[in-house]
Amino acid sequence: MSYFFSSESVSEGHPDKICDQVSDAILDAALTQDPASRVAAECFTTTGLILVGGEITTTANLDIQTIVRNTVREIGYTNPEFGLDAESCSVLNAIHGQSPDIAQGVNEGEGLFKTQGAGDQGMMFGYACKQTKAYMPLPIHLSHQLVKALAKLRKSKVISYLRPDAKAQLTVEYEGRVPKRVHTVVISTQHDPDVDQATIVTDVTQHVIREVIPAQYLDDNTRYFINPTGRFVIGGPHGDTGLTGRKIIVDTYGGWASHGGGAFSGKDSTKVDRSAAYMARYIAKNIVAADLADEVEIQLAYAIGVADPVSIYANTRGTSVVDEVKLVQLIQQHFDLTPKGIIQTLGLTRPIFKQTAAYGHFGRDDLDLPWEKTDKAIALKEAALSQARV
């Protein structure tokens, strides 16, 4: 059966992604000084303004003004004409401490169960497949690469008229669960006012699309829409307000796999919204790397203050070489799914999060992320073979 599926990504200069990066920059700064920091940092941005709020409990001395301005500067908002400038924008701070009611459920030795419990209830999903070398669905993987390429060209000044805000969307034609071709490419990139549409189309086609998308997926029928409104000068927070956590599908699997609804950025790893989603990806990727399935979606669910997950679910869409009930048993045997175990396994008290706040948290071949390792694959494969012989 043939069908079409689309995913999108947005650049680091998109207003929502500015907020994600600011939130994670605050988290990293706190963890650098105090690895036990409890952080739930939120950000809002509009023309000339960044507002930071949320709950932080830490011994770290955080210079919020400097953290925010450095982040905005690194993204590329260094010109007042962009509507947000790192040097002149207003930065407002409305951060306060974490609720003691939440803290007692997370702190070891406190709460009803005395163990380190989950920081909230909820369900988290992880996914992996063989569509790409990064074990990611092709539409979201290529969408990320397109906006990353735009940012690289902008920062290197190879295309000097580009501005920080950009989006990409890719539609892929599938036969069954196998990607066959790229049906449509949509790219919208902010630009200086004096550049013409034809130049943008030519440059983006040559330096971005042709460089990023493998030729095997493009054909004479592939459709291209580059800045389809004809003009994209006003962008970033000047064109649209931004909020932390508003691009959760961009952050994960582009809609190809399920999402539990919780955002990642600005949250320390006692919040299972983040840490359990990373663990679920780690589990899924190792299962596929072990050739136990061509694809797998993992769901973990938690109750606030309780250490062990209340449920574990695996769905391989019929591609598993072992029974899915046995697959869940393998997961329980080989992965510590308590919040404390997840944090220790993946080393999540380190300041590694800001780098994930743009271009996706998963399938990042350009970063050394612990949940992207496949170091459990051999053990899983051997255990599955042992089960089969019993």
Side-chain angles (χ1 to χ4, degrees), residues 8-31:
E8 73 157 348
S9 183
V10 300
S11 74
E12 64 202 72
H14 185 280
D16 294 329
K17 276 292 150 201
I18 295 171
C19 293
D20 285 343
Q21 290 165 93
V22 166
S23 295
D24 271 341
I26 292 169
L27 171 62
D28 277 0
L31 293 175

Side-chain angles (χ1 to χ4, degrees), residues 124-353:
M124 300 83 209
F125 290 88
Y127 178 81
C129 65
K130 292 185 176 180
Q131 291 184 33
T132 64
K133 291 181 179 179
Y135 295 86
M136 290 290 286
L138 185 66
I140 186 64
H141 181 70
L142 290 180
S143 293
H144 286 322
Q145 302 308 312
L146 290 169
V147 284
K148 282 174 67 177
L150 282 168
K152 184 177 180 180
L153 291 165
R154 170 175 60 86
K155 291 182 174 182
S156 65
K157 300 190 184 305
V158 172
I159 304 180
S160 59
Y161 58 77
L162 294 177
R163 291 185 174 184
D165 197 356
K167 287 184 174 183
Q169 181 175 291
L170 209 73
T171 300
V172 173
E173 183 175 357
Y174 282 83
E175 189 68 37
R177 302 288 286 180
V178 179
K180 294 299 182 182
R181 58 182 291 272
V182 171
H183 177 268
T184 304
V185 182
V186 182
I187 294 180
S188 295
T189 182
Q190 189 185 15
H191 57 84
D192 289 345
D194 55 352
V195 62
D196 62 88
Q197 173 75 357
T199 298
I200 297 171
V201 170
T202 299
D203 287 345
V204 170
T205 301
Q206 177 182 346
H207 297 291
V208 180
I209 295 172
R210 299 295 179 185
E211 291 293 323
V212 168
I213 302 177
Q216 70 192 70
Y217 291 119
L218 300 175
D219 58 35
D220 292 341
N221 295 319
T222 300
R223 301 187 304 170
Y224 305 94
F225 297 101
I226 299 170
N227 280 19
T229 69
R231 182 177 173 85
F232 187 6
V233 174
I234 300 172
H238 190 43
D240 193 9
T241 57
L243 290 169
T244 299
R246 203 159 56 176
K247 286 291 177 284
I248 59 176
I249 301 303
V250 171
D251 286 342
T252 52
Y253 307 102
W256 181 263
S258 302
H259 197 296
F264 300 158
S265 290
K267 297 177 181 178
D268 75 87
S269 293
T270 64
K271 282 80 172 173
V272 286
D273 277 351
R274 183 171 215 160
S275 56
Y278 290 167
M279 179 56 90
R281 163 65 176 177
Y282 180 54
I283 295 167
K285 189 172 181 181
N286 276 273
I287 288 171
V288 175
D291 292 320
L292 300 183
D294 290 339
E295 65 175 304
V296 63
E297 181 175 272
I298 303 296
Q299 186 202 61
L300 305 174
Y302 290 84
I304 188 169
V306 180
D308 290 311
V310 298
S311 69
I312 306 168
Y313 172 72
N315 182 359
T316 67
R317 293 186 177 269
T319 67
S320 179
V321 300
V322 299
D323 184 85
E324 289 178 354
V325 173
K326 292 183 178 179
L327 197 60
V328 171
Q329 292 172 353
L330 286 174
I331 293 169
Q332 292 172 312
Q333 292 165 8
H334 290 268
F335 299 91
D336 186 341
L337 301 179
T338 65
K340 183 177 181 179
I342 293 171
I343 290 168
Q344 290 178 342
T345 298
L346 300 179
L348 299 182
T349 60
R350 296 173 294 149
I352 60 173
F353 298 107

